[in-house]
Amino acid sequence: MPTAFVNNQPIEFDAEERLNCIQAAKRIGFEIPHYCWHPELSVVASCRMCLVEVGDTKPDGTIAMQPKLVPGCQTPVKDGTVVIADSDKVKAAQKATLEYLLLNHPLDCPTCDQAGECFLQDYSFDYGRGYSRLQEPKNIKADKDHIGDQITLFTDRCIMCSRCVRFTREISGTAELHVVGRGSHEEIDVFPGMPCNNKLAGNVVDLCPVGALCSKDFLYKQPVWWLKTADSFCPHCSTGCSVHVDQNEDRVYRLTPRSNPQAQGDFMCDEGRFGWKYIHSEDRLSYPQQQSEGKPAGLRWEQALPAVRTAFTTAAQESPAGVAAVFSPWMTVEEAYLLAKWIKEIAPQATLALGPVRVVGEDDTYPKDVRGNPATPVKFTIRAEKCPNRRGVETVLRHFDANTATLGDVLGRASAGELSAAYLVGGDPAGWIEESQAEALGKIGTTVVQDILPSPASANATFVLPGGSFAERDGTFVNHAGLAQEIHRSIRGPGEPRPDGRILWELTERKGLFRAATIRQEIAEAIPALAPLANELGALGVNTAES
């Protein structure tokens, strides 16, 4: 097996692996600082922050070092490569590079959105001089708010790493961002009338290692050191991007991509990045309700759940085939399992239906060519299927009922007066039922709607149970390819909504507290197609497609 040496420590790697010095050093836990290099972008070696000493081991065992420092991002390691990244020569180069990058950089740290997660701050502290020798006035450049609808450019903070330019050329393919000017006058800019508004534009903010490119949506909202982060799963399409949910005091402030090579890679689309605002909508359902004399009346949870349980148990005893449940593709696997198991226990002949799966257009792949047509190889896909867990919920329903129905089937039976009780779960913030469809629910003896926002269904329901958004729940989503990932509760909902898992746990009278990992173990034993859920899902998830 090929072996390289970094700071006198051996590193073994496969012959097929293509590692540069930065990646090799990471294997031993050593950081080689860098700005312009990113694993998903082409190598330009322009920032010169990753300069290292490199040599080769000769057949006789001697080591021949190259006379000059070389960029670690651009230098591959092979069998016998020797990398020295902590010598005095390397440290002097790092200090010189940082001093150069900071010459015209403004002292905006107290107000900069990147403060606290800025590589310029971190590297200046770890590798810099700690003082400046500049005596001349700094070169001040105008900010550019016109860069994009969602992004703004603080030009004088830019260190010209060109990550953003390469992203728009290589990943989105739209090429809005360019380097204009030369020398100390070069800047990032767009052509007049062509702002950076592609569907992946928000990623340039994440890629920027300093505070030059900022999100207008997050600008001056919160210092990052106040934010608490939870790992989660973007629910806005079936790609299932791994994300960080950043919140403070039960208010979400941003979603950022979490690197996952099994899901989306290192990026996410703007629809998912900015599409979570409904979480804090003033229209959120905030407390349980029951229709009383044609008007909704508020209930305590201690009253609502026993009443729902009694109504369904009675309906199942009187008409076992007259019970139905509609499962949202926004439910977690655990929630779908709890509800389906309970419904089938009280009414074995009950109808289980999958709720509407919203599809918008066709899959949108990137990069694009100069005419806006999809190009190959595909590096990112925005799925047309706008729900997170259709595959996971379908798998659960097929286990309990091979003939899974649709919402239309349930509404048809309701219109015919064949249903005595129905439990409908919503969750799609864009809506999942029309007014004309919901009229049929009035012919059902007991209708329960569990949702996060008001809908025509909740207006016609006997009971309304306020559930939680994806940021308020624990559980598992399965994306289009069968990758199962965890979502983690990061905030509490407004008012008195409860996480859907807790609602169903208490409704089914299970003992103790709801815990997603415990339910996953039960699901793995009961449903062979989801047997991989018995394993620890970890940060990257587990593939269920092979089971």
Side-chain angles (χ1 to χ4, degrees):
M1 181 174 287
T3 302
F5 297 86
V6 176
N7 296 343
N8 297 318
Q9 294 188 46
I11 300 171
E12 293 184 347
F13 54 95
D14 294 334
E16 296 78 20
E17 283 189 278
R18 296 293 180 263
L19 301 178
N20 61 27
C21 296
I22 295 174
Q23 294 167 313
K26 191 175 180 180
R27 294 279 180 93
I28 63 167
F30 186 85
E31 178 187 50
I32 296 178
H34 56 278
Y35 288 115
C36 65
W37 181 78
H38 188 279
E40 296 297 322
L41 303 176
S42 60
V43 177
V44 293
S46 63
C47 74
R48 317 310 281 183
M49 193 66 211
C50 65
L51 295 177
V52 292
E53 294 186 75
V54 173
D56 292 306
T57 304
K58 300 300 181 182
D60 61 0
T62 60
I63 298 174
M65 300 297 293
Q66 296 184 27
K68 293 185 178 181
L69 299 179
V70 298
C73 63
Q74 200 177 39
T75 306
V77 297
K78 60 183 186 298
D79 189 28
T81 297
V82 176
V83 180
I84 303 298
D86 60 355
S87 66
D88 291 340
K89 188 177 182 180
V90 169
K91 292 176 181 178
Q94 292 168 347
K95 289 180 180 180
T97 299
L98 279 169
E99 184 176 24
Y100 167 74
L101 292 176
L102 289 168
L103 283 181
N104 291 303
H105 196 84
L107 189 58
D108 285 351
C109 297
T111 59
C112 179
D113 266 17
Q114 193 79 358
E117 54 185 12
C118 173
F119 285 105
L120 203 54
Q121 283 183 331
D122 295 342
Y123 290 167
S124 294
F125 181 81
D126 292 334
Y127 309 104
R129 293 187 188 279
Y131 58 91
S132 174
R133 295 179 292 174
L134 180 69
Q135 301 296 325
E136 293 75 20
K138 289 180 180 285
N139 183 14
I140 305 298
K141 300 176 182 178
D143 297 338
K144 298 174 182 176
D145 191 59
H146 63 271
I147 286 288
D149 291 345
Q150 294 289 354
I151 55 178
T152 187
L153 174 63
F154 293 89
T155 313
D156 51 358
R157 298 177 189 170
C158 180
I159 61 171
M160 298 306 298
C161 69
S162 77
R163 279 185 175 190
C164 56
V165 174
R166 283 175 284 148
F167 176 85
T168 59
R169 294 182 181 183
E170 300 166 13
I171 307 299
S172 69
T174 47
E176 301 98 335
L177 298 180
H178 300 269
V179 177
V180 299
R182 290 293 182 269
S184 62
H185 297 286
E186 66 178 0
E187 302 175 9
I188 302 296
D189 210 337
V190 295
F191 284 119
M194 297 180 63
C196 185
N197 288 334
N198 67 75
K199 293 182 180 180
L200 307 181
N203 289 287
V204 300
V205 175
D206 303 320
L207 285 169
C208 184
V210 296
L213 287 166
C214 293
S215 167
K216 292 179 180 178
D217 187 66
F218 182 68
L219 196 64
Y220 306 133
K221 294 287 181 65
Q222 288 278 292
V224 297
W225 52 84
W226 285 359
L227 298 176
K228 290 84 175 175
T229 300
D231 291 349
S232 194
F233 177 117
C234 176
H236 295 99
C237 83
S238 59
T239 294
C241 295
S242 300
V243 298
H244 295 297
V245 179
D246 292 336
Q247 62 86 21
N248 184 32
E249 296 181 344
D250 290 325
R251 187 167 191 87
V252 174
Y253 285 95
R254 65 178 183 180
L255 262 61
T256 55
R258 175 167 56 88
S259 180
N260 187 347
Q262 298 187 75
Q264 87 288 0
D266 290 272
F267 309 114
M268 69 183 294
C269 74
D270 284 4
E271 181 181 344
R273 184 186 298 271
F274 303 116
W276 49 266
K277 306 300 176 57
Y278 63 89
I279 292 175
H280 302 298
S281 169
E282 293 181 355
D283 297 328
R284 280 285 299 271
L285 297 172
S286 57
Y287 55 87
Q289 301 174 36
Q290 180 180 9
Q291 289 284 351
S292 177
E293 298 180 356
K295 297 181 180 179
L299 291 176
R300 296 195 305 271
W301 282 103
E302 294 77 9
Q303 298 170 308
L305 294 180
V308 170
R309 189 185 308 116
T310 300
F312 267 75
T313 303
T314 302
Q317 291 172 349
E318 296 175 353
S319 177
V323 177
V326 177
F327 294 72
S328 168
W330 289 67
M331 297 176 79
T332 66
V333 172
E334 294 85 351
E335 294 158 5
Y337 177 81
L338 286 171
L339 180 57
K341 185 172 176 30
W342 180 67
I343 291 289
K344 281 297 187 179
E345 284 176 349
I346 64 171
Q349 299 176 46
T351 299
L352 303 183
L354 178 66
V357 176
R358 184 162 51 94
V359 176
V360 179
E362 299 179 347
D363 290 352
D364 190 10
T365 62
Y366 291 85
K368 307 291 188 184
D369 62 19
V370 293
R371 295 178 177 82
N373 299 316
T376 55
V378 173
K379 297 181 180 179
F380 192 90
T381 303
I382 303 174
R383 301 281 165 188
E385 186 178 275
K386 301 302 180 183
C387 59
N389 197 31
R390 185 265 312 161
R391 181 165 179 159
V393 172
E394 271 188 348
T395 303
V396 172
L397 295 184
R398 282 198 298 267
H399 170 72
F400 288 99
D401 191 342
N403 300 312
T404 303
T406 65
L407 175 63
D409 297 332
V410 172
L411 295 176
R413 292 189 62 196
S415 297
E418 298 176 5
L419 296 181
S420 57
Y423 198 114
L424 296 90
V425 181
D428 188 339
W432 56 276
I433 189 170
E434 301 293 335
E435 189 77 46
S436 57
Q437 294 176 303
E439 291 176 359
L441 301 179
K443 299 181 179 181
I444 303 174
T446 299
T447 303
V448 176
V449 172
Q450 181 177 310
D451 209 342
I452 59 174
L453 293 167
S455 69
S458 63
N460 288 274
T462 313
F463 296 94
V464 176
L465 303 180
S469 69
F470 76 99
E472 298 155 28
R473 294 146 58 199
D474 289 300
T476 307
F477 285 154
V478 181
N479 76 352
H480 73 101
L483 180 67
Q485 299 181 72
E486 290 184 82
I487 60 171
H488 295 285
R489 185 180 187 185
S490 56
I491 63 172
R492 290 168 292 191
E496 297 182 21
R498 287 186 175 179
D500 296 48
R502 179 183 175 186
I503 294 172
L504 296 169
W505 181 274
E506 295 181 1
L507 177 65
T508 57
E509 294 188 290
R510 292 192 174 220
K511 303 299 182 183
L513 300 175
F514 171 81
R515 184 171 178 268
T518 302
I519 300 296
R520 280 199 297 273
Q521 292 293 329
E522 183 178 335
I523 294 171
E525 294 174 5
I527 306 178
L530 296 175
L533 296 187
N535 304 317
E536 185 70 31
L537 300 190
L540 303 183
V542 171
N543 193 350
T544 65
E546 299 174 357
S547 59

